[in-house]
Amino acid sequence: MIATETTEHEETLVMCSWNVERDGIDANGSRRRRDIALAELKKRKPRVIFQQEATYSMDDDEAGRKEIENELGLVCRVAPVTGDSRNPTAVSYDPQLFDLVNVIEWSTGLYKPMDIPVVRLRGTVKPLALASLHLCYWAPQERAVQAQRLTTLGEPGKNAILAGDFNSEELGNKRPSQPGDWGTDASLLAHRTVHVPGAPGEPGKRWIDTGPDDILTGTGVFADLALHAATNLDQPKATQATASLWRTDQGPRRRIDRALSTPNLLPALKKFEVVTTPEVVEASDHALLVWEYSLPKLVAALG
């Protein structure tokens, strides 16, 4: 039996993306935040989860990965850990709903390796790539290279859903950096901006980095699900800021957590929500992204 929800007599499929710092495990070993995060995910019954900072999922005989599988009934794939970062991404999917047909493994030329399951939704023939991403936090140039590589998932005839922490901003926020943009964290100015030279004899300015969004959505390879929901589904709250929910040193909140898909999947989207309940805020400084597809329309889009 396919595990889906039924809304207004139509079967739906829920997906989530969430950056829960350090897998929800605090430096003192407390797993209070992790337990809250698991409870929040279980409440929404997602069939796909895009996870960032799966820091401890492969420790202790893969206990964290197995916990996702046992608690949520999903197959959890965790990307490799490297010396650059112990915070890998992970993708979990419902084996009752999706068949695994391939795995794309990217381990070179990236700040974080990626493990991208390519699945087939039951009742369809076209494969669907599911990519959880956490773009480099310290270099716009690195983020641009990562985004360029992600465009290969949206080549003609391919279908993909990408979600995660972009550590950069949407095209709509393309503007020169202003005083107060970065709070008291001066390093963010270097991390999140690019230098644009001025006219001859004039100083240049630092502009907020929107490079990944320009590469991925500005070209039309992918579409921003929240922006589609706000623009076409009368859901203006879909594009509210996602981070930081409680840090005070990084300036105002920003929409750096996003979900994208190849444009052909947009007609199946029913709802997109940025969840910032007290429970979510207690678990993470990032909002929980939750979106819902019409299952019949998604089946139709994937042939």
Side-chain angles (χ1 to χ4, degrees):
M1 180 178 178
I2 293 178
T4 57
E5 292 296 294
T6 301
T7 303
E8 297 177 352
H9 309 294
E10 181 181 51
E11 285 187 294
T12 62
L13 187 157
V14 175
M15 297 188 182
C16 295
S17 181
W18 202 4
N19 181 347
V20 179
E21 184 185 21
R22 292 167 52 92
D23 233 355
I25 309 294
D26 292 330
N28 63 4
S30 169
R31 54 170 291 138
R32 176 185 56 85
R33 291 189 302 109
R34 181 171 179 81
D35 290 338
I36 294 171
L38 285 173
E40 287 300 299
L41 290 170
K42 288 175 69 175
K43 185 188 304 183
R44 290 165 176 82
K45 301 179 181 179
R47 299 302 93 205
V48 176
I49 301 173
F50 301 87
Q51 183 181 352
Q52 297 81 54
E53 298 211 15
T55 312
Y56 300 107
S57 289
M58 301 305 285
D59 293 352
D60 300 323
D61 192 31
E62 304 182 15
R65 181 186 66 79
K66 292 175 181 177
E67 188 172 46
I68 291 286
E69 296 188 339
N70 294 333
E71 293 284 332
L72 297 168
L74 308 177
V75 171
C76 179
R77 297 192 60 91
V78 182
V81 172
T82 70
D84 282 337
S85 175
R86 288 202 71 254
N87 301 315
T89 58
V91 177
S92 302
Y93 62 89
D94 184 354
Q96 297 185 66
L97 193 57
F98 297 98
D99 294 316
L100 182 68
V101 297
N102 190 23
V103 176
I104 299 171
E105 296 177 334
W106 288 343
S107 59
T108 58
L110 294 174
Y111 170 58
K112 293 177 185 286
M114 295 187 70
D115 183 291
I116 304 168
V118 181
V119 299
R120 183 174 288 114
L121 176 63
R122 298 282 174 89
T124 70
V125 296
K126 298 176 183 177
L128 172 67
L130 302 171
S132 177
L133 58 93
H134 194 174
L135 300 188
C136 179
Y137 78 90
W138 48 266
Q141 301 85 351
E142 180 75 15
R143 290 193 291 270
V145 170
Q146 292 172 306
Q148 287 289 168
R149 193 164 193 184
L150 286 164
T151 61
T152 65
L153 299 178
E155 291 171 343
K158 294 182 178 179
N159 306 278
I161 299 173
L162 326 177
D165 183 348
F166 285 71
N167 275 316
S168 56
E169 305 207 26
E170 58 192 306
L171 276 173
N173 280 345
K174 186 174 184 178
R175 59 179 174 81
S177 178
Q178 303 294 327
D181 273 338
W182 315 109
T184 59
D185 188 345
S187 64
L188 270 181
L189 179 66
H191 297 165
R192 299 278 184 84
T193 63
V194 293
H195 183 262
V196 177
E202 297 182 2
K205 292 183 178 181
R206 298 204 69 87
W207 285 65
I208 289 176
D209 178 32
T210 61
D213 204 28
D214 186 27
I215 291 166
L216 293 167
T217 69
T219 58
V221 177
F222 293 101
D224 185 325
L225 301 189
L227 186 59
H228 176 78
T231 305
N232 299 287
L233 302 179
D234 194 26
Q235 298 172 20
K237 292 184 178 180
T239 55
Q240 65 183 292
T242 66
S244 169
L245 299 185
W246 48 258
R247 289 185 64 168
T248 60
D249 62 333
Q250 295 187 338
R253 291 184 181 182
R254 295 176 165 80
R255 192 168 76 94
I256 62 172
D257 304 273
R258 298 191 287 279
L260 316 179
S261 79
T262 44
N264 61 308
L265 305 182
L266 288 180
L269 186 68
K270 290 174 62 71
K271 182 180 180 181
F272 194 99
E273 185 179 6
V274 178
V275 184
T276 58
T277 61
E279 293 80 8
V280 166
V281 174
E282 191 170 358
S284 176
D285 64 329
H286 288 255
L288 167 63
L289 306 185
V290 183
W291 62 100
E292 181 179 304
Y293 287 110
S294 157
L295 186 57
K297 290 182 179 179
L298 193 59
V299 168
L302 292 170

